Amino acid sequence: MSNADTGQDAATAGAPPAAKLTLVTLTAMVVGSMVGAGVFSLPRRFAQETGVAGALIAWAIAGVGMLMLAFVFQTLAVRRPDLDAGVYAYAKAGFGEYLGFFSAFGYWASACVGNVTYWVLIMSTIGAIAPALGDGDTALSIVLSSAGLWAFFLLIRRGVKEAAAINRIVTVAKVVPIIVFVILALFYLDPSVFADNWGGADYAGSLFNQVRGTMLATVFVFLGVEGASVYSRHAKRREDVGRATILGFLSVFAVFASVTIVSYGILPMSEIAELRQPSMAGVLEAAVGTWGKVFVSVGLIISVLGAYLAWTLMAAEVLFVAAKDDDMPRFLGRSSGDDVPVPALLMTTALSQIVLVVTAFSDDAFNFALDLTSALSLIPFLLAAAFAVKIALRPVRENVTGESTRRELAFGVLATVYTAFLLFAAGLKFVLVSFIVYAPATFLFVKARREQGRRLFSPRELVILVVSIAGAVMGIVALAAGWISL
């Protein structure tokens, strides 16, 4: 049993046990986490990079790669049932406390940045009829988005169980419009338009570059596949964590790919690339008229608010469990009588607020937040995949429950190769910006070590610190010199 289960401090003494979630609720949290802002932006994002052929290849790569990651989280949930909070716990167990800390912080930060994309997209959607909101990056849209951020803080503050129940209802409500979009787009699909959009070499460069350009978008829409793993301490049965992961992934993969592919049969890709976000609304409007745009826009708002709820829960959970394991300052390990990690929730909302303000200075607020979210999540994913390889090779040394199989080793290797390729696909810009986010977080690690009266850094950890600071400095210089831009 982990510290998260036994380490109640004075602030939480006498509190009721953590709410126990069923397989259905855990699966809904995975689906709810994945089906958010990203799916509604897919037509434009893909059309800016590739044609039908490149899109099919990209989804094949992303589908296999993310399925391997889903199998990794399923395997780790079974082989190391003592580890809670998923991504963070696996990185720490496999590669030490400092990399575990970076994994926790990076995963948390990616969730906070991802939450900003939701509000940007909501405001951009409403901006189609209220020009003062622009593309979600005007002063008014930031003020309204900020109000939404703190309204959800108060909702979640009331209790985890209540918030999870709301998420399950919203998950069903938001999947329906997406499925309707796919069916209608298939009905109105024009084979000649689809054929004209097949290639894209003249429009977007070589096929390899086309596929590479879509990779961060596919990462973004699949973020949340690890959702049940992150929330594992609340599961009624440990085996449900892995089952919910696979069920959630399989439930949404075909939908995501279909949304992208059928859109190529409605409009030329050059026109799709110029649609305002959410581009799904523009595609359906071209097919069936204005009511299609309204229909998708309403579905988007429901979808995004549900995804925001799920991601805020998961982000706060990561900080809470990391604090319980002495890898974050103690104040983040406090929770209310309703099992809500209030300080972690407050810090999560505060970072989202800061990033929301930063988007006002970006050339493309939505795409910037989307790509940064994906880039920040890659190191935590890479460490989790590598840990799966490690326990498959050395099960006894890593305290594995049961016997590892060659299949589990293959899953781990493929997932590791996939996430390493994603780092390459992200490009130097987002790797450097990620370092700018990662490096300052070390002060939380230092605070936690000082609270415990421990040595601040081991020799190995000092090397990691130097690398992170060097990367952050390079990123700041690159931004200041104009070599990269937000």
Side-chain angles (χ1 to χ4, degrees):
M1 185 172 290
S2 72
N3 291 337
D5 295 317
T6 61
Q8 296 290 338
D9 58 21
T12 60
K20 294 301 180 182
L21 304 178
T22 64
L23 173 62
V24 172
T25 300
L26 285 169
T27 302
M29 293 190 75
V30 175
V31 174
S33 302
M34 285 192 284
V35 180
V39 63
F40 292 90
S41 68
L42 285 174
R44 172 181 166 179
R45 188 60 192 269
F46 266 73
Q48 289 175 331
E49 303 289 349
T50 188
V52 178
L56 290 171
I57 295 172
W59 280 118
I61 294 172
V64 172
M66 280 296 174
L67 181 60
M68 294 304 102
L69 273 174
F71 281 136
V72 160
F73 288 117
Q74 181 186 43
T75 296
L76 293 176
V78 173
R79 298 300 179 215
R80 290 299 303 267
D82 56 308
L83 300 177
D84 285 320
V87 176
Y88 146 71
Y90 301 143
K92 177 185 176 182
F95 306 101
E97 293 181 1
Y98 195 29
L99 281 180
F101 165 82
F102 269 140
S103 181
F105 183 86
Y107 185 81
W108 170 74
S110 74
C112 294
V113 177
N115 282 347
V116 171
T117 67
Y118 299 152
W119 292 109
V120 171
L121 198 56
I122 286 176
M123 293 302 147
S124 177
T125 302
I126 302 174
I129 57 174
L133 298 179
D135 290 325
D137 54 0
T138 65
L140 178 60
S141 65
I142 290 174
V143 169
L144 293 177
S145 295
S146 299
L149 280 174
W150 295 102
F152 267 81
F153 168 80
L154 295 176
L155 170 65
I156 299 171
R157 173 68 179 79
R158 296 184 60 182
V160 168
K161 187 175 182 179
E162 178 179 342
I166 292 172
N167 180 70
R168 181 165 56 180
I169 296 171
V170 170
T171 296
V172 175
K174 68 187 181 179
V175 168
V176 172
I178 301 171
I179 294 175
V180 171
F181 167 85
V182 173
I183 294 172
L184 288 175
L186 278 172
F187 182 79
Y188 285 95
L189 187 144
D190 185 333
S192 63
V193 173
F194 188 81
D196 289 341
N197 287 333
W198 182 261
D202 295 335
Y203 177 85
S206 70
L207 189 59
F208 176 80
N209 286 334
Q210 290 179 48
V211 172
R212 177 183 173 183
T214 66
M215 284 294 101
L216 285 182
T218 60
V219 172
F220 182 80
V221 296
F222 282 127
L223 289 178
V225 69
E226 73 292 342
S229 200
V230 171
Y231 229 68
S232 56
R233 76 184 179 99
H234 294 278
K236 274 188 176 181
R237 296 181 302 176
R238 187 72 189 194
E239 57 268 26
D240 285 346
V241 174
R243 292 171 181 169
T245 300
I246 301 301
L247 286 174
F249 172 82
L250 294 177
S251 297
V252 300
F253 170 66
V255 174
F256 287 167
S258 297
V259 165
T260 307
I261 302 303
V262 297
S263 298
Y264 286 111
I266 304 299
L267 289 169
M269 57 187 287
S270 59
E271 293 185 25
I272 299 175
E274 296 299 321
L275 293 173
R276 75 177 287 130
Q277 295 290 17
S279 51
M280 255 180 65
V283 171
L284 195 57
E285 181 182 28
V288 302
T290 304
W291 76 265
K293 180 179 182 179
V294 174
F295 178 73
V296 170
S297 297
V298 172
L300 174 138
I301 293 174
I302 295 173
S303 175
V304 165
L305 292 178
Y308 178 83
L309 175 61
W311 271 105
T312 303
L313 284 168
M314 288 195 292
E317 182 75 4
V318 169
L319 286 185
F320 175 79
V321 176
K324 284 297 184 182
D325 286 344
D326 296 326
D327 293 303
M328 288 283 182
R330 290 171 184 162
F331 77 92
L332 293 171
R334 298 173 188 153
S335 63
S336 69
D338 294 319
D339 194 35
V340 179
V342 178
L345 179 62
L346 179 61
M347 190 167 162
T348 296
T349 307
L351 180 58
S352 294
Q353 177 71 79
I354 293 170
V355 176
L356 183 62
V357 173
V358 171
T359 60
F361 303 94
S362 173
D363 295 332
D364 187 335
F366 178 77
N367 278 334
F368 168 73
L370 184 154
D371 288 338
L372 182 57
T373 300
S374 301
L376 285 169
S377 69
L378 292 181
I379 290 178
F381 279 0
L382 179 62
L383 292 173
F387 180 52
V389 174
K390 192 174 181 182
I391 67 172
L393 293 174
R394 301 187 301 183
V396 176
R397 186 171 177 177
E398 299 297 332
N399 301 316
V400 173
T401 299
E403 295 184 3
S404 297
T405 65
R406 291 182 178 178
R407 185 180 66 173
E408 291 173 354
L409 176 60
F411 290 158
V413 170
L414 290 172
T416 302
V417 171
Y418 173 64
T419 48
F421 169 70
L422 291 175
L423 278 171
F424 166 75
L428 184 61
K429 170 183 173 178
F430 286 102
V431 172
L432 291 178
V433 174
S434 295
F435 273 122
I436 296 174
V437 176
Y438 272 111
T442 298
F443 88 90
L444 292 173
F445 184 78
V446 170
K447 180 174 174 58
R449 285 282 173 95
R450 283 179 174 170
E451 287 176 348
Q452 301 158 37
R454 298 174 57 190
R455 179 182 181 181
L456 295 184
F457 296 99
S458 68
R460 178 186 174 188
E461 290 170 342
L462 279 174
V463 173
I464 299 171
L465 175 64
V466 169
V467 171
S468 66
I469 292 176
V473 170
M474 289 176 60
I476 293 171
V477 170
L479 283 171
W483 301 333
I484 61 175
S485 64
L486 300 180

